[in-house]
Amino acid sequence: MAAPAPGGPGAAASAALDELSRNLTYGALGAGNGSLSGAWYRRNQIHLFGVLLAILGNLVISISLNIQKYSHLQLAHQEHPRPYFKSVLWWGGGVLMAVGETGNFAAYGFAPITLIAPLGCMSVTGSAIISVMFLKENLRASDLLGMTLAFAGTYLLVNFAPNITQDISARTVQYYVVGWQFMTYGILEILIFCILLYFHKRKGIKHIVILLTLVALLASLTVISVKAVSGMIAFSVTDKMQLTYPIFYIMFIIMIASCVFQVKLLNQATKLYNTATVVPINHTFFTISAIIAGIIFYQEFLGAAFLTIFIYLFGCFLSFLGVVLVTRNRGKEHLPQSYIDFGHVPGKQTLDKIQPDSNGLSYGTLPNGSDSTKSPSGEKKEV
């Protein structure tokens, strides 16, 4: 069989395959065994650096959210509250959030998606701890159990996530984009997204599952593009410049666009539903979508043992359960009632209508049920 012509399409494909074979080290002896040995640490130093960035980034995000919440509470207790965007404390929280998101972005350049994405549970559990310490919120038994489960799940995720090392170059991303796995996945995702968007926009269905599924489908594109952009930047720093390839800017545009539409749909969900309901469902859907994207696009579980995959998925389940327990009923505040419900006055007969009817001329309904009112002259008029 003749060798591919230098500089031709065959040569580019052959070079991409050679690069992938050097990058994919999952099948190496001892890889993926989930053993926290010295060899495991030496082999996964770069992954652990990405994990550290992700954990620190999520903790900084937790601090920023609590700072912004504290600034809102301070403004609410002022006699003449200023707009929140004029608060230095609120802007400080915003800057910290940008720092945390930058850490998360950089983490994708050093570790697999299937390792970084589930670590978002650290943001939820960290926020619960910080709110107890600084905002004096109550610490519940479910919080302690949820934090324990989340930390146990994180340990399993870090230990049994795929030990795959890839240098993300522009050529590698191009090879993955045109692969049949991603093409099939992309077509199915577009079809599902269009169907759900039709029911959401045309039929007016605002169910939380539909909204957060749309967010999760966009999130899969986000994590793919984030890892591609972050990986190519890291490759440019350590090896060869990759920012001159068109695929870098294509992935950058996909990253920005998918993030913008994610935020828009997520805002709709938080307006319609309680935050304590949105957070665990969104974390679960986002993590599952990101894991599927990492498996299909970057082939991160290639050659993994069944036991490794099972324990990894069990770690994900523990983190999901921990987030649910931490956020359960947290958004419900029991405020003291400063009024008496006229429909439940002790010893009084409950009337059919107490408040004026905005659509009619009467001031209420009498006990006999007849809608009537008196004119200024004292005459009774039927409405």
Side-chain angles (χ1 to χ4, degrees):
M1 183 176 181
S14 178
L17 288 173
D18 291 340
E19 185 174 356
L20 287 173
S21 65
R22 291 193 301 270
N23 290 339
L24 297 177
T25 59
Y26 202 131
L29 184 63
N33 58 7
S35 173
L36 285 175
S37 60
W40 187 92
Y41 280 112
R42 288 192 296 272
R43 190 170 56 245
N44 294 277
Q45 283 181 354
I46 190 168
H47 288 179
L48 293 176
F49 181 67
V51 169
L52 181 63
L53 282 176
I55 292 176
L56 290 177
N58 283 305
L59 291 179
V60 170
I61 290 173
S62 303
I63 295 172
S64 71
L65 291 174
N66 281 275
I67 288 176
Q68 289 184 327
K69 184 176 180 179
Y70 181 71
S71 70
H72 285 298
L73 292 175
Q74 275 194 331
L75 292 173
H77 285 88
Q78 293 179 359
E79 185 177 356
H80 301 288
R82 299 174 300 166
Y84 67 90
F85 54 83
K86 291 186 178 180
S87 170
V88 176
L89 198 60
W90 185 88
W91 279 107
V95 171
L96 283 179
M97 181 173 288
V99 172
E101 292 293 355
T102 303
N104 276 338
F105 172 81
Y108 282 101
F110 295 97
I113 292 175
T114 48
L115 177 56
I116 299 301
L119 296 179
C121 67
M122 300 303 296
S123 176
V124 180
T125 54
S127 182
I129 296 173
I130 296 169
S131 64
V132 170
M133 295 173 60
F134 295 101
L135 299 181
K136 307 303 180 183
E137 294 187 3
N138 295 327
L139 182 64
R140 308 167 301 175
S142 61
D143 294 335
L144 293 174
L145 179 60
M147 293 172 192
T148 303
L149 291 176
F151 292 147
T154 301
Y155 173 82
L156 294 178
L157 288 170
V158 174
N159 194 12
F160 291 91
N163 299 331
I164 182 171
T165 302
Q166 297 188 62
D167 293 327
I168 304 299
S169 65
R171 185 177 293 171
T172 304
V173 176
Q174 289 172 354
Y175 176 82
Y176 284 140
V177 167
V178 299
W180 68 268
Q181 298 95 334
F182 178 68
M183 297 294 287
T184 305
Y185 172 74
I187 292 172
L188 288 175
E189 182 172 286
I190 291 172
L191 287 175
I192 296 172
F193 187 86
C194 291
I195 292 171
L196 293 178
L197 195 63
Y198 170 78
F199 282 107
H200 174 58
K201 293 292 186 181
R202 296 294 184 181
K203 299 297 184 179
I205 299 177
K206 308 289 186 181
H207 197 277
I208 188 171
V209 172
I210 290 181
L211 284 170
L212 295 184
T213 302
L214 290 170
V215 173
L217 292 173
L218 290 171
S220 66
L221 293 178
T222 302
V223 294
I224 288 173
S225 56
V226 164
K227 184 170 179 62
V229 172
S230 180
M232 282 188 276
I233 291 175
F235 195 88
S236 299
V237 173
T238 59
D239 197 322
K240 182 182 177 183
M241 176 59 66
Q242 302 292 306
L243 307 188
T244 57
Y245 291 87
I247 191 66
F248 173 83
Y249 299 97
I250 293 173
M251 286 294 175
F252 185 81
I253 293 172
I254 292 174
M255 179 182 70
I256 298 299
S258 60
C259 284
V260 169
F261 286 107
Q262 266 190 90
V263 171
K264 183 178 179 181
L265 290 169
L266 198 56
N267 282 336
Q268 291 184 24
T270 52
K271 287 179 181 178
L272 295 172
Y273 299 94
N274 195 301
T275 305
T277 304
V278 174
V279 169
I281 298 177
N282 181 59
H283 170 72
T284 303
F285 283 15
F286 168 83
T287 304
I288 293 174
S289 177
I291 290 172
I292 294 174
I295 292 173
I296 293 177
F297 190 85
Y298 292 103
Q299 303 175 20
E300 292 181 353
F301 272 104
L302 184 65
F306 173 78
L307 182 60
T308 300
I309 297 175
F310 176 79
I311 299 178
Y312 170 83
L313 294 178
F314 182 67
C316 290
F317 171 75
L318 289 181
S319 69
F320 296 158
L321 185 58
V323 169
V324 171
L325 290 174
V326 169
T327 57
R328 189 169 65 96
N329 296 329
R330 183 166 288 277
K332 295 181 180 179
E333 296 188 9
H334 304 283
L335 300 177
Q337 287 187 335
S338 57
Y339 61 91
I340 298 176
D341 186 353
F342 283 166
H344 298 86
V345 177
K348 297 292 183 181
Q349 181 181 4
T350 302
L351 303 181
D352 294 332
K353 294 181 182 179
I354 299 299
Q355 300 298 329
D357 185 2
S358 60
N359 296 321
L361 299 177
S362 65
Y363 288 99
T365 303
L366 298 178
N368 61 7
S370 61
D371 288 340
S372 63
T373 184
K374 287 185 177 182
S375 67
S377 62
E379 297 178 356
K380 186 176 181 180
K381 294 183 180 180
E382 295 294 333
V383 180

